[in-house]
Amino acid sequence: EAQPEAAPAPSPAFRLPLRNVTNANILNYLTQERKLSPSLVNFFIAAGDIYEDAVHHNVVFVGRDADGHPRYASSRGINEKFRQDAAGAEKAFGFAHRGTDKQLLVFEAPIDLLSFLSLYKEDWQAHSYAAACGVSDQVLWQMMKDNPGIRRVCLCLDHDEPGQAAARRIAEKLKEHGIPSEILVPIQKDWNEDLLFSQQEEIRCPTLQL
């Protein structure tokens, strides 16, 4: 996959799922079941990047381009295992946070990203984060194109063979472009399992120097 040359116009087929009048159901799911930081979840809700859809009451994660226009949306069920991208959604513009420093951290899924931030909250807004919604590197290259000041990438993919194989592949491609990278591996299968384990066992997660 080549680094994107330019961002095409948004797909005319793309439409955000209809918003519910309240976020009560997804707040309960994200903070009580997934144990994400309530202040963190509310930060992204206030930004319009997380909301509850009106029809199925799924969690919707929104991804935007550098101008702030929605270009991606992924729904996740709160009562069953359900994941679906909206029609016309572009994975290169996945759920993300654009920080002010030179570091980008890449995850497989939005909940992994939010779990990591719940574990490592200190100065989190300074860094950039993106969810690939899989193991593709599309969102990574788009984020770097939109944020040319990024000089270091942390690949935070799942602790399984597909995730780590993708991390090694992407790290090699970054090396070819002269971009330093590091692979951060969760202790459990993914970062949400690390978050749940840390709370159940009342342990402190190791300090990361980001």
Side-chain angles (χ1 to χ4, degrees):
E1 296 173 2
Q3 187 170 346
E5 295 296 327
S11 167
F14 178 64
R15 295 288 185 277
L16 287 172
L18 185 65
R19 294 174 185 265
N20 196 26
V21 294
T22 176
N23 291 302
N25 293 301
I26 66 163
L27 270 169
N28 182 68
Y29 169 73
L30 294 172
T31 62
Q32 299 303 311
E33 185 171 337
R34 292 293 186 162
K35 301 300 183 183
L36 300 176
S37 162
S39 62
L40 187 69
V41 172
N42 281 309
F43 174 91
F44 284 97
I45 286 177
D49 294 340
I50 297 176
Y51 67 90
E52 181 175 326
D53 91 76
V55 178
H56 302 289
H57 304 286
N58 296 322
V59 185
V60 179
F61 296 101
V62 179
R64 303 175 186 274
D65 60 22
D67 296 322
H69 302 304
R71 301 282 291 268
Y72 176 83
S74 176
S75 298
R76 182 182 181 109
I78 64 173
N79 296 314
E80 58 183 351
K81 289 187 177 180
F82 171 79
R83 296 181 189 176
Q84 186 176 69
D85 291 351
E90 302 167 75
K91 284 188 181 292
F93 299 95
F95 179 79
H97 168 76
R98 292 172 171 82
T100 55
D101 69 8
K102 300 178 180 180
Q103 182 156 256
L104 169 65
L105 294 89
V106 180
F107 300 82
E108 287 194 29
I111 287 181
D112 291 327
L113 187 162
L114 295 168
S115 298
F116 183 93
L117 297 186
S118 297
L119 287 165
Y120 304 105
K121 299 176 183 177
E122 186 175 358
D123 298 327
W124 74 266
Q125 292 189 52
H127 312 313
S128 294
Y129 309 83
C133 295
V135 294
S136 167
D137 59 2
Q138 293 180 67
V139 72
L140 183 154
W141 294 114
Q142 189 64 51
M143 285 287 288
M144 295 195 67
K145 176 180 178 294
D146 294 341
N147 301 270
I150 291 172
R151 293 291 181 268
R152 180 171 176 259
V153 175
C154 291
L155 301 167
C156 310
L157 307 186
D158 287 0
H159 191 178
D160 57 18
E161 181 52 34
Q164 292 309 298
R168 293 189 295 270
R169 170 179 57 81
I170 297 169
E172 187 61 32
K173 190 182 294 187
L174 287 165
K175 183 179 179 181
E176 292 171 2
H177 285 80
I179 303 165
S181 67
E182 180 179 356
I183 296 175
L184 299 181
V185 185
I187 298 170
Q188 308 298 317
K189 191 262 182 185
D190 59 39
W191 295 102
N192 189 243
E193 289 191 11
D194 272 16
L195 176 61
L196 296 175
F197 182 78
S198 71
Q199 296 193 9
Q200 291 168 359
E201 300 297 327
E202 298 184 351
I203 62 172
R204 280 188 70 126
C205 287
T207 302
L208 292 182
Q209 296 297 323
L210 300 178

